[in-house]
Amino acid sequence: MSELYNRLQVLEGDTPLSPEERLRAAVRPLLSWYGENARTLPWRESPKPYSVWVSEIMLQQTRVEAVKPYFERFMRELPTVKDLAEAEDDRLMKLWEGLGYYSRARNLKKAAVAACEKYGGELPADYGELLKLPGIGSYTAGAIASIAFGIPEPAVDGNVLRVLSRVLASREDISRQAVKRGMEELVRGVIPPDRAGDFNQALIEVGALVCIPGGEPKCAGCPFHSLCLARRRGLTGEIPVKAPKKARRIERRTIVLLETETQVAIRRRPEEGLLASLWEFPSLEGDLGAEEAREAFGIPPELFAGAEELPEAKHIFSHVEWHMRGIRIRLTAPVQAPADGWMGELIFADKGELWTRYPLPGAFAAYRRLV
Ligand code: ADE
């Protein structure tokens, strides 16, 4: 079917274009729109496999503006796959501190180790091999393959699913894997072989700038304008269809800043579970007062120099919300490590080291500021 025929059909109103024909008809307008509207982003300057990979992992669950400074510092400090493979865990976590979803960073390192062992410290120029690396799913494999190597594979994330389901007026639930697989197949069939990276990034860009999440889409400037069935049928408020997520569990915690003049107590979190192996201020389940906290940590009365309530804070994880209150407990004397029993797994860090040395997740940011 010629492109002219497609256009005529489109102008006629509801058309018999198949989903694949509809997308194919959009390839040229999409690429030309991207040429004029692509944002200048640090990872686009010279899209090497390593920088595409790191940026795509950071961009999962995190906004572009928040990612930029993290990306630049990460590439400065760990400029190659080998540097990443050899990075100390705490240093890596410090570079990730505040981005959240720390298992993404752990998988980055695992995959870097595998790339050093299997591919001489490079990422493989092969979609199937990329998919075997820890933390690399079909979206990331497609992004690296297409943007860094020019391989025509799809890179379909939640934002691209929103764009595609609107263009095709698909009411299928985009949180279903089978729906994503179907869209990937569709895209695979229309990617222009010589512009794979630009094509995928153009879809991402439409999702970020035009067909935006949570808000009215800016259809007037959309390269899919005449082709988009959701716009033509007035369905952009109903599509995409996405099954509601389970409500988050709420946990109440009392965060304890146990301080001397120059030090504050921290401890390492368990190796499994939420924020695994990162550092934290000691905390207790529930809403506790100063005296209860003093007892819970077994602080000898002669060391106790006073307590103060701190403001409440909230942190939202994917499945849990922490609703926190804080207590500052002042100790009379500097604590020598290892101390005599009552400290358990606490260590007393110099206050400045909270910023420079110990990776402390963003969940504690509100209290770190008060130290
Ligand atoms: N979101 C996910 N991947 C992206 C990319 N390569 N550029 C901009 N935003 C993105």
Side-chain angles (χ1 to χ4, degrees):
M1 191 185 293
S2 77
E3 203 179 330
L4 180 59
Y5 178 70
N6 276 347
R7 294 240 178 97
L8 289 172
Q9 291 280 300
V10 165
L11 291 173
E12 279 167 10
D14 246 8
T15 72
L17 289 185
S18 72
E20 182 159 340
E21 287 166 338
R22 189 171 301 283
L23 289 189
R24 188 163 291 130
V27 169
R28 276 170 188 284
L30 179 62
L31 286 172
S32 99
W33 175 89
Y34 184 65
E36 283 163 25
N37 293 280
R39 290 166 293 177
T40 304
L41 298 170
W43 45 90
R44 287 188 180 158
E45 279 162 21
S46 71
K48 305 274 184 331
Y50 179 57
S51 55
V52 171
W53 175 36
V54 171
S55 64
E56 291 298 346
I57 298 296
M58 287 185 172
L59 286 160
Q60 289 165 19
Q61 329 272 356
T62 314
R63 289 175 309 107
V64 165
E65 283 311 310
V67 163
K68 282 182 188 171
Y70 281 94
F71 173 78
E72 292 186 319
R73 186 179 60 170
F74 197 98
M75 299 314 285
R76 222 173 25 246
E77 299 225 358
L78 302 174
T80 67
V81 175
K82 185 162 178 286
D83 294 317
L84 170 57
E86 291 171 357
E88 295 271 347
D89 285 353
D90 269 2
R91 179 169 178 227
L92 177 61
M93 290 301 133
K94 198 73 194 154
L95 289 170
W96 208 265
E97 182 187 281
L99 274 178
Y101 299 88
Y102 294 83
S103 58
R104 295 182 295 169
R106 289 186 204 290
N107 280 330
L108 264 182
K109 178 171 160 178
K110 280 191 206 153
V113 170
C116 287
E117 285 168 0
K118 275 179 81 177
Y119 309 107
E122 306 285 341
L123 288 177
D126 182 287
Y127 181 73
E129 291 300 306
L130 287 165
L131 269 177
K132 291 183 194 163
L133 292 168
I136 298 191
S138 64
Y139 168 75
T140 311
I144 299 169
S146 63
I147 301 170
F149 296 116
I151 300 171
E153 290 289 348
V156 174
D157 68 356
N159 295 306
V160 171
L161 281 171
R162 180 177 57 255
V163 175
L164 296 174
S165 59
R166 280 184 175 154
V167 171
L168 304 173
S170 161
R171 290 180 187 272
E172 293 196 286
D173 174 358
I174 62 167
S175 58
R176 287 181 49 222
Q177 272 303 311
V179 172
K180 178 169 163 176
R181 294 280 170 253
M183 290 294 192
E184 285 173 343
E185 275 313 302
L186 204 55
V187 170
R188 186 173 278 118
V190 306
I191 301 175
D194 55 334
R195 304 278 307 272
D198 285 344
F199 178 77
N200 282 335
Q201 290 191 91
L203 282 173
I204 291 168
E205 212 68 348
V206 170
L209 302 179
V210 177
C211 202
I212 52 181
E216 283 286 301
K218 303 174 181 178
C219 299
C222 183
F224 291 103
H225 185 271
S226 59
L227 285 156
C228 178
L229 291 180
R231 184 196 64 78
R232 281 163 47 179
R233 297 177 186 167
L235 296 174
T236 57
E238 292 168 43
I239 294 176
V241 173
K242 202 170 168 184
K245 285 204 194 123
K246 240 175 72 182
R248 281 186 289 263
R249 185 175 79 251
I250 291 178
E251 280 183 16
R252 303 199 64 86
R253 302 200 71 80
T254 302
I255 308 293
V256 182
L257 299 184
L258 211 49
E259 292 182 36
T260 71
E261 200 71 32
T262 58
Q263 302 166 299
V264 61
I266 54 173
R267 65 185 178 192
R268 216 189 251 287
R269 288 182 59 80
E271 279 173 23
E272 300 286 330
L274 187 68
L275 306 175
S277 299
L278 297 171
W279 292 85
E280 66 173 0
F281 295 121
S283 66
L284 298 161
E285 261 178 52
D287 272 320
L288 301 184
E291 184 50 28
E292 290 166 301
R294 192 192 66 74
E295 270 180 30
F297 287 107
I299 300 164
E302 67 275 15
L303 272 185
F304 182 77
E308 168 194 355
E309 275 202 26
L310 301 173
E312 299 194 345
K314 191 152 92 165
H315 191 81
I316 296 176
F317 298 95
S318 53
H319 302 295
V320 194
E321 286 181 25
W322 278 1
H323 291 196
M324 295 169 280
R325 66 179 305 205
I327 295 173
R328 190 194 318 271
I329 295 182
R330 292 184 212 281
L331 302 179
T332 49
V335 176
Q336 304 296 329
D340 44 352
W342 67 266
M343 288 190 353
E345 6 145 72
L346 299 181
I347 70 152
F348 277 78
D350 285 336
K351 288 180 177 175
E353 288 180 326
L354 292 186
W355 302 93
T356 57
R357 177 169 175 190
Y358 296 100
L360 199 75
F364 300 101
Y367 295 102
R368 179 168 67 176
R369 276 195 291 277
L370 302 174
V371 167

